[in-house]
Amino acid sequence: MTWQIHRGDALAVLPTIPNGSVDLVLADPPYNSGGRTAGERVGSTARDKYVSTDAGHTLADFAGDNRDQRSYTYWLSLILSECLRIARPGASCLVFCDWRQAPATSDALQVAGWTWRGIIPWRKPISRPQRDGFKRECEYVLWASHGTPVRHETPIYLPGLVEGSQPRGAARVHITQKPVGILRQLIRVCPAGGTVLDPFAGSGSAGVAAIEGGRSYIGIENTAHYAEVARGRLAQAAKETSA
Amino acid sequence: MTWQIHRGDALAVLPTIPNGSVDLVLADPPYNSGGRTAGERVGSTARDKYVSTDAGHTLADFAGDNRDQRSYTYWLSLILSECLRIARPGASCLVFCDWRQAPATSDALQVAGWTWRGIIPWRKPISRPQRDGFKRECEYVLWASHGTPVRHETPIYLPGLVEGSQPRGAARVHITQKPVGILRQLIRVCPAGGTVLDPFAGSGSAGVAAIEGGRSYIGIENTAHYAEVARGRLAQAAKETSA
DNA sequence: CCTCTCGATGAATCCATCT
DNA sequence: AAGATGGATTCATCGAGAG
């Protein structure tokens, strides 16, 4: 099992990756939602939108979260269409999104040529209640495939919903960090020994899950700080797994 | 608390209901999805599409499940826009859909003038597993409001996800029947003593939940058989509640 | 009345075969 | 070649009935 992190913009790096070389695309793009108004969406940084003013932590900011919804859909379809080229026939694609971007994300997937196959809610048990309304307790993972999904040698049956809270305290190194436990469950859709492509690697949680699960990993991350963080976590995970 | 069932097509009956007279629209439209091919989606009956070939029951079919997706979106937006007229400012709207129709349903809501406010997954513990893929374990409830949602006198905090199995055995009277327990939770978004409008009443489960929860209920159902079933269940629920 | 076992079921879907 | 048809499948859950 090998791993690599490319430092650069996904749209610039993806074209350098050869055709039909990965078995799962796992994308956690910047959501470009969260602001209550169009002005708030384009004006503020990701930190201002996603981190409550009373939150104590001081996590690094990330760029690329300032698109309006139409541009978001177009941009994401460009990314996903490059990913389709890189994916083997039968490969799966999993894209994280929040409730607001779910329709745009399903559009982008299908525009890019992927076959949409389902929605897997990610339930976050620790979430803020909302007065006089329904709690925003879930994010969503859209599942798609490149044609007919591959048949696994030993059949697998995956859950229809995943649960797990975001890492807290020292374990949390990125604002929108996903729990490794969630990613471990999702990565099982990639045949054992296969390769996972992650165009928005962030702090590398998907890579950690991939390596622990015996898959190779190709990550792309634009922010130099997070690319470094991811390399550190991946080296550590690779060492622990081989041990 | 009062209740009534109108027998007729929703698009014909809704215009007879006065402006600003309901506090919650709870809609469970025919999904117009499923089926194995495009032809079958619009050609076969709801039973053929949604009932497993190994199912033992012999429940009645229902009509209105033969639209392609474009027509579905348009038709639903007409329904929802009449519902917006009938809803008081601050009222909520809850619409059931499956994963395939979620984007079209959010479009229809917003085209009709509702403000989309969230997605509440409904998790069904009894669901068929799927080989080499993620189980289709959830349906979805889209939540929207007519402007700013009303402020409840005593604050309520609603779940971000609801769980419950379809009724089984003798309790099951409709192919796509919703559990009363689920509806009871959803109906809490309607202020106590308010009125619930249900344009696709089916066997009347939402009405039962409304009456049990101390809300008035206006249901519309096109299939004569189910309108009668709903009347029976509602009369029963009203008797038990007043007792 | 509680616990346990047994059997039935699912707002399907996949796949090979046929038209 | 594309679409239609028919049969096989899977397991967590729940109800019924037994102990």
Side-chain angles (χ1 to χ4, degrees):
Chain A
M1 301 307 105
T2 62
W3 63 267
Q4 47 190 305
I5 294 282
H6 298 275
R7 220 288 297 157
D9 184 85
L11 270 184
V13 175
L14 286 172
T16 67
I17 303 178
N19 286 357
S21 54
V22 310
D23 304 280
L24 169 64
V25 176
L26 182 48
D28 183 15
Y31 289 176
N32 286 279
S33 60
R36 281 162 304 185
T37 62
E40 219 167 308
R41 262 196 302 280
V42 300
S44 40
T45 64
R47 246 192 72 81
D48 295 336
K49 284 193 291 190
Y50 298 126
V51 180
S52 325
T53 47
D54 57 350
H57 49 71
T58 51
L59 299 170
D61 207 344
F62 63 87
D65 203 50
N66 303 314
R67 297 174 183 88
D68 69 20
Q69 196 174 48
R70 193 167 155 271
S71 308
Y72 178 75
T73 311
Y74 180 53
W75 165 79
L76 189 56
S77 72
L78 291 180
I79 298 274
L80 292 175
S81 132
E82 265 304 292
C83 290
L84 185 75
R85 176 187 64 75
I86 297 167
R88 290 200 176 87
S92 278
C93 179
L94 297 170
V95 187
F96 279 88
C97 59
D98 71 356
W99 62 274
R100 249 174 298 220
Q101 299 292 23
T105 306
S106 80
D107 284 346
L109 271 168
Q110 292 177 90
V111 165
W114 292 90
T115 304
W116 185 25
R117 305 200 81 86
I119 303 178
I120 306 131
W122 164 32
R123 182 185 201 177
K124 298 176 287 185
I126 304 178
S127 47
R128 215 170 256 203
Q130 198 191 339
R131 193 189 154 150
D132 295 338
F134 297 91
K135 197 156 49 156
R136 247 73 76 138
E137 193 172 355
C138 295
E139 289 180 34
Y140 299 90
V141 184
L142 300 199
W143 171 39
S145 67
H146 187 178
T148 305
V150 280
R151 199 175 172 84
H152 290 234
E153 285 190 27
T154 53
I156 54 163
Y157 293 88
L158 299 169
L161 180 144
V162 292
E163 295 191 60
S165 293
Q166 279 185 312
R168 321 182 89 187
R172 183 157 179 227
V173 293
H174 192 284
I175 309 178
T176 66
Q177 189 172 340
K178 304 291 174 284
V180 173
I182 297 295
L183 298 160
R184 232 190 318 250
Q185 293 182 67
L186 296 176
I187 270 171
R188 294 183 55 212
V189 79
C190 170
T195 300
V196 178
L197 170 64
D198 178 2
F200 308 99
S203 55
S205 304
V208 173
I211 287 170
E212 287 176 0
R215 273 82 171 172
S216 291
Y217 177 78
I218 304 171
I220 304 172
E221 172 56 38
N222 201 6
T223 309
H225 168 70
Y226 286 122
E228 238 3 90
V229 171
R231 285 198 186 101
R233 291 181 71 201
L234 286 165
Q236 177 69 17
K239 202 166 72 185
E240 281 169 11
T241 307
S242 66
Chain B
M1 299 307 103
T2 63
W3 64 267
Q4 45 190 304
I5 295 280
H6 298 275
R7 221 285 300 157
D9 185 86
L11 271 183
V13 175
L14 286 171
T16 68
I17 303 177
N19 286 358
S21 56
V22 311
D23 304 280
L24 169 64
V25 176
L26 181 47
D28 182 16
Y31 290 176
N32 286 275
S33 67
R36 286 168 296 186
T37 62
E40 223 174 59
R41 265 193 293 281
V42 298
S44 40
T45 67
R47 250 196 79 91
D48 290 344
K49 288 192 288 187
Y50 302 135
V51 178
S52 311
T53 48
D54 56 356
H57 64 74
T58 52
L59 297 171
D61 209 343
F62 60 85
D65 205 72
N66 305 311
R67 295 173 183 90
D68 70 19
Q69 197 172 48
R70 191 168 157 271
S71 306
Y72 177 74
T73 312
Y74 179 53
W75 165 79
L76 190 56
S77 73
L78 292 179
I79 298 274
L80 293 174
S81 127
E82 264 305 289
C83 290
L84 184 75
R85 176 188 65 75
I86 297 167
R88 291 201 176 86
S92 278
C93 180
L94 298 170
V95 187
F96 280 88
C97 59
D98 72 353
W99 63 274
R100 248 177 298 225
Q101 298 292 28
T105 306
S106 80
D107 284 347
L109 271 168
Q110 293 176 90
V111 165
W114 292 91
T115 305
W116 186 25
R117 306 202 81 87
I119 301 177
I120 306 131
W122 164 32
R123 182 185 200 179
K124 299 178 290 183
I126 307 181
S127 45
R128 248 186 165 86
Q130 201 195 335
R131 187 181 165 161
D132 296 335
F134 298 91
K135 195 154 51 157
R136 252 72 71 137
E137 193 173 358
C138 294
E139 288 179 36
Y140 299 90
V141 183
L142 301 199
W143 171 39
S145 66
H146 187 179
T148 307
V150 281
R151 198 173 171 84
H152 289 235
E153 285 189 25
T154 54
I156 54 162
Y157 293 88
L158 300 169
L161 180 145
V162 291
E163 294 189 60
S165 296
Q166 264 198 317
R168 318 179 79 181
R172 181 149 180 236
V173 292
H174 193 284
I175 309 179
T176 68
Q177 189 171 341
K178 304 292 174 285
V180 173
I182 297 295
L183 297 160
R184 231 188 320 249
Q185 293 182 67
L186 297 176
I187 268 170
R188 295 183 55 212
V189 78
C190 170
T195 299
V196 178
L197 170 66
D198 177 3
F200 308 98
S203 56
S205 304
V208 173
I211 287 171
E212 287 177 1
R215 275 81 170 171
S216 291
Y217 176 78
I218 304 171
I220 304 172
E221 171 56 38
N222 201 5
T223 308
H225 169 70
Y226 286 123
E228 238 2 88
V229 171
R231 287 200 185 100
R233 292 180 72 200
L234 286 165
Q236 178 69 17
K239 203 167 72 183
E240 281 170 11
T241 308
S242 66

